[in-house]
Amino acid sequence: MTDLLAAIDQGTTSTRCMVFDQRGKVVAIEQAEHRQYFPQPGWVEHDAKEIWETTRRVTGAAIDKAGGAGKIAAIGITNQRETTVIWDPRTGEPRGRAIVWQDTRTRELCDQLAKGEGPQRYAPITGLPLATYFSGPKIRWRLDRDPDLKRDAEAGQLCAGTIDSWLIWNLTGGAAGGNFATDITNASRTSLMNLRTLEWDDALLGAIGVPRGILPTIHPSAHADAFGVTKLFGDPIPITGVLGDQHAALLGQGCTQPGDAKNTYGTGCFLLINTGESPIFSSRGLLTTPAWQIRDEKPVYALEGSIAVTGSLIQWLRDNLGLIASAADVESLARQVEDTGDVYIVPAFSGLFAPRWRADARGVIVGLTRATTKAHLARAALEATAYQTREVIDAMTADGHIELRHLKVDGGMTANTLLMQFQADVLRTPVTRPQVTETTCLGAAYAAGLGAGVFADLAELREHWRADQTWEPQMNETESERRYQRYLQAVERSYEWA
C-alpha cells in the first residue's frame, strides 16, 4: 500500500531525503554533504553532477529504509532556489559548475541592467530587485563569457534552470527523455517570470538577455501530472510537488493564512509572511514572491526577507578560523561568557541582502579588545543572526504589512537554545519551534501529497502542526534595544570596505 510521502531537500551544503507518513511523522532520513567551491573572492560554485549523484544516493537509501518504492505515494522536491545550472540535454553533462545563490560575480551586470533606473527597475513585474542573488543575470553572465555556450543557447541546444529543474530532468530520464520543468516559486527567483501571469516574460527575457528556448516549462507547485514519474528506485513514483526551500518551509509550518509568518535558520535566514491571493509590494527592501500554487487554484503570495549569511557564519568559525570542531559546539562555547563584550560581527560575505541590498558591503568585526576571546566571537556570531532577523521584521512592520506577535521558527539552528532565547529578547516577542523542525522537507512532502490527492486541502495540513518549545522575552527591553542599535552602527562600518 502506498501510504508514505518522500521529500528531497537539495540545500546549499547538503542533500537529504526524508520519508513521512500522512500525519507528518518521520519514517526515514538520509543526508550527505557536497563540496563548496570558491574560485575567486565573491564566487561560490557547486558541482551539479555531484549534487545529482548525492541526491540519487540519499533518496534511494531513504526509500529503502521506509520499505521500498512500493510504499511511496509521491515524491516532493524542495531546493536552494537561485543556484543556476546549465547543461547539455543530449549528453546530460553540466556545462560548467553551478553558480550558487550567494555568488556576487554579476554585480556589474546588475548595475548595467538597471541603466540608471536603480535596482527596482523590474520589481513591479518580478517582485525582485536587480541583485546578484537571482538566477537570470547568472545565466546571462555565463553566456556572455562563453561564445560556444551562447551559440548553443541561441540554437535551443541547452537547458538552463534552478536546481529543481536539474533534479526533475535527471529523475525522469535525463538524456533519455527527462521532463524539463519547474514550479512558479523557483521560476519567480530568476527575475524572468511575470508575477501576475506566472509565465516567462518576453520583455524581461529580452532585457536580461536569456533565450526562452533554454528555460523549463513553469507549472503549479502541487500537481498530479506536471513533473513526471521516476523509475530509478524500483516501482514508479510520481513527482507531484515542487517548491523552493523557503516556500516549502512556509507550508510545512502551517502558515496557510494571510498574516502567518515563519523564519528558517539555515545557511542563511529567510523570513516569509503569507499575504494571500494578491501580491503586495514592499518599499523597504523586501521581496514579493509566490508562496505556492496548489493544482489549478489561485496562487498564494508572500513577502520575504532574505538574509545571506547565518548558519554559514558558524561554518566559517569552524572551517576558516578553527574556533570550534563542529557547528554544534558553538552554543557551549558562547555560553562561556555572559555577553559579547561589545563585539559585533556583520557577516556580509556576499554583501547584504534584505532589507539593505548592498552588494558592496563586506564582513566586519568591530569592538575587539585584548580581552576578547573566541567565546565572545562565538556569541557575537549567534547574535548576528538574531539582529539580522530583527532588521527584516522592522522593515515588514514599517511597510505596514505585519504586526509581529509570534514568530514560528525552523531549520537546523533552532536546536541552539541560546540563539532562540536571544531572538525572542531582541524581537520582544515569543518564538516557537515546532515538533518537526525540518519543515522544508515536510512542506515538500505536503506539496506532493496535495498534488497526488493524498490531502484534500490546506486546512487539513494546518491541523498537523504541533509546537515543541516557545521562548518568551527575558532581557530588559532597554538593554536589548541598546545592543541592537550598536549592531546597526556596526553594519554601517561594513560599507567602508567596499
Side-chain angles (χ1 to χ4, degrees):
M1 178 180 177
T2 55
D3 57 357
L4 304 177
L5 296 165
I8 297 169
D9 178 5
Q10 202 302 293
T12 307
T13 59
S14 68
T15 304
R16 81 190 72 189
C17 181
M18 298 180 72
V19 180
F20 299 88
D21 68 16
Q22 293 178 23
R23 298 292 298 175
K25 180 181 178 181
V26 178
V27 175
I29 181 171
E30 284 286 334
Q31 182 171 350
E33 291 189 355
H34 61 266
R35 286 169 289 183
Q36 312 291 308
Y37 297 90
F38 308 99
Q40 295 185 34
W43 290 29
V44 188
E45 297 177 346
H46 290 159
D47 182 337
K49 199 165 185 179
E50 180 191 7
I51 284 177
W52 162 236
E53 291 167 351
T54 301
T55 299
R56 181 170 181 168
R57 184 172 72 253
V58 300
T59 303
I63 288 173
D64 286 346
K65 276 186 179 180
K71 298 284 289 181
I72 309 298
I75 288 177
I77 296 173
T78 185
N79 55 285
Q80 51 169 324
R81 294 172 294 179
E82 298 80 9
T83 297
T84 306
V85 186
I86 299 176
W87 71 95
D88 187 330
R90 298 163 296 183
T91 65
E93 292 296 317
R95 296 283 291 270
R97 288 186 189 143
I99 301 179
V100 179
W101 58 273
Q102 300 160 310
D103 190 287
T104 60
R105 74 185 68 183
T106 59
R107 176 180 166 187
E108 289 185 7
L109 174 59
C110 289
D111 290 343
Q112 292 169 13
L113 292 170
K115 291 184 177 177
E117 297 181 36
Q120 299 298 319
R121 181 181 184 189
Y122 301 118
I125 305 172
T126 65
L128 312 174
L130 279 165
T132 60
Y133 187 15
F134 305 109
S135 306
K138 298 181 195 299
I139 298 171
R140 163 73 181 276
W141 188 94
R142 289 287 313 279
L143 299 183
D144 283 350
R145 280 155 182 79
D146 186 334
D148 292 339
L149 202 66
K150 187 171 186 178
R151 181 197 63 231
D152 291 347
E154 291 173 347
Q157 295 177 345
L158 292 178
C159 291
T162 43
I163 290 289
D164 60 304
S165 61
W166 168 243
L167 296 184
I168 294 165
W169 186 82
N170 278 289
L171 284 164
T172 57
N179 188 18
F180 189 33
T182 189
D183 91 299
I184 64 168
T185 65
N186 282 291
S188 74
R189 310 301 287 199
T190 63
S191 296
L192 302 173
M193 190 192 84
N194 187 306
L195 267 187
R196 293 179 174 83
T197 67
L198 307 180
E199 297 289 346
W200 303 123
D201 187 281
D202 286 331
L204 291 170
L205 293 172
I208 295 177
V210 177
R212 177 188 282 267
I214 67 173
L215 298 173
T217 303
I218 303 173
H219 295 287
S221 311
H223 200 284
D225 305 315
F227 304 110
V229 173
T230 184
K231 301 177 181 179
L232 295 180
F233 309 108
D235 292 344
I237 309 172
I239 303 168
T240 56
V242 176
L243 285 166
D245 50 10
Q246 303 315 315
H247 316 264
L250 191 70
L251 184 60
Q253 281 277 33
C255 295
T256 60
Q257 299 295 317
D260 290 346
K262 69 87 195 173
N263 196 24
T264 297
Y265 298 75
T267 302
C269 264
F270 303 89
L271 198 152
L272 272 74
I273 178 172
N274 183 324
T275 61
E277 294 180 353
S278 298
I280 293 175
F281 294 87
S282 170
S283 61
R284 291 174 173 82
L286 304 177
L287 310 179
T288 304
T289 183
W292 53 70
Q293 184 182 19
I294 307 303
R295 297 181 289 269
D296 297 320
E297 298 172 8
K298 290 183 178 180
V300 172
Y301 292 88
L303 276 174
E304 175 178 341
S306 304
I307 302 166
V309 177
T310 53
S312 55
L313 176 58
I314 308 307
Q315 292 175 327
W316 181 77
L317 294 181
R318 178 193 68 189
D319 299 338
N320 293 53
L321 300 189
L323 297 188
I324 50 178
S326 71
D329 295 338
V330 71
E331 181 172 6
S332 58
L333 178 59
R335 285 189 181 278
Q336 293 177 14
V337 291
E338 292 297 319
D339 55 41
T340 68
D342 210 32
V343 171
Y344 296 86
I345 298 177
V346 181
F349 298 155
S350 301
L352 291 171
F353 286 8
R356 294 174 182 256
W357 295 106
R358 291 290 298 256
D360 59 333
R362 291 295 176 266
V364 297
I365 303 175
V366 300
L368 294 173
T369 70
R370 283 291 299 272
T372 302
T373 68
K374 62 182 182 179
H376 292 107
L377 293 177
R379 194 170 188 114
L382 293 177
E383 292 190 1
T385 293
Y387 292 134
Q388 289 179 100
T389 298
R390 163 74 185 272
E391 252 203 300
V392 168
I393 289 175
D394 282 356
M396 286 186 172
T397 303
D399 262 335
H401 302 308
I402 181 174
E403 180 183 350
L404 189 74
R405 297 179 179 176
H406 178 220
L407 182 66
K408 291 182 176 180
V409 298
D410 56 73
M413 292 184 78
T414 61
N416 190 308
T417 57
L418 177 63
L419 170 60
M420 292 298 98
Q421 181 58 59
F422 190 76
Q423 186 69 88
D425 289 339
V426 78
L427 292 179
R428 310 305 305 165
T429 195
V431 169
T432 298
R433 181 180 65 198
Q435 291 181 2
V436 178
T437 58
E438 296 302 340
T439 51
T440 303
C441 269
L442 184 59
Y446 282 167
L450 288 163
V454 172
F455 303 121
D457 53 33
L458 293 173
E460 183 179 350
L461 302 183
R462 193 177 177 91
E463 295 175 0
H464 293 174
W465 188 88
R466 296 289 184 274
D468 173 53
Q469 186 171 352
T470 296
W471 289 266
E472 299 283 348
Q474 295 179 357
M475 184 180 292
N476 175 277
E477 184 173 359
T478 300
E479 176 62 14
S480 171
E481 189 64 23
R482 183 193 72 80
R483 295 187 189 187
Y484 176 57
Q485 293 302 321
R486 290 286 279 171
Y487 172 78
L488 295 181
Q489 291 175 22
V491 173
E492 297 299 321
R493 302 291 188 273
S494 71
Y495 303 159
E496 297 176 5
W497 296 102

